[in-house]
Amino acid sequence: MTESFTLHDLAALIAQRAQSTADESYTKSLLVSGTGRIAKKFGEEAVEAVIAAVQKDRNALKLEAADVLYHLLVLLQDGGVSLQDVLDELAWRTRQSGHEEKASRTG
């Protein structure tokens, strides 16, 4: 790998492609198709990542994890939630133990 690429870069690219046309961009076609389709794609990719992990297929896990991250960021874009919002939540959660954090959630 020659250049550093971050999730922030991917989120920015998704936001940029959200402004294009569905003919030009797979990302835009997902966004136009609605939350249900985006969520379905995310779920499918997550299941494929789980299968790859259980099968101990390192390369497939890498590929599926990339798909999971991409589709999650598209889902966040669709829901109006920024990557930074999610990272801020994770930062807040790491200030306490996982057990304490789970106990503090309602519902």
Side-chain angles (χ1 to χ4, degrees):
M1 188 164 142
T2 59
E3 189 176 312
S4 178
F5 185 78
T6 70
L7 286 178
H8 284 289
D9 295 333
L10 182 56
L13 185 59
I14 288 168
Q16 176 187 1
R17 291 190 178 163
Q19 304 306 312
S20 63
T21 68
D23 291 338
E24 297 172 327
S25 167
Y26 173 69
T27 299
K28 180 63 172 192
S29 69
L30 278 174
L31 291 165
V32 167
S33 67
T35 305
R37 180 164 181 244
I38 300 165
K40 183 176 184 245
K41 286 298 295 176
F42 172 71
E44 289 169 358
E45 300 302 344
V47 168
E48 290 171 2
V50 168
I51 292 167
V54 169
Q55 293 176 342
K56 304 287 188 204
D57 186 336
R58 187 174 183 275
N59 189 59
L61 179 56
K62 174 183 71 173
L63 298 174
E64 297 304 337
D67 288 342
V68 167
L69 291 173
Y70 165 77
H71 286 91
L72 175 59
L73 290 176
V74 173
L75 195 58
L76 292 174
Q77 173 78 29
D78 179 68
V81 176
S82 74
L83 174 59
Q84 192 59 55
D85 290 341
V86 175
L87 294 175
D88 291 346
E89 176 64 20
L90 288 170
W92 180 84
R93 289 182 184 191
T94 59
R95 293 187 186 113
Q96 56 190 331
S97 80
H99 295 298
E100 290 170 335
E101 187 279 323
K102 281 192 169 200
S104 72
R105 290 193 221 172
T106 58

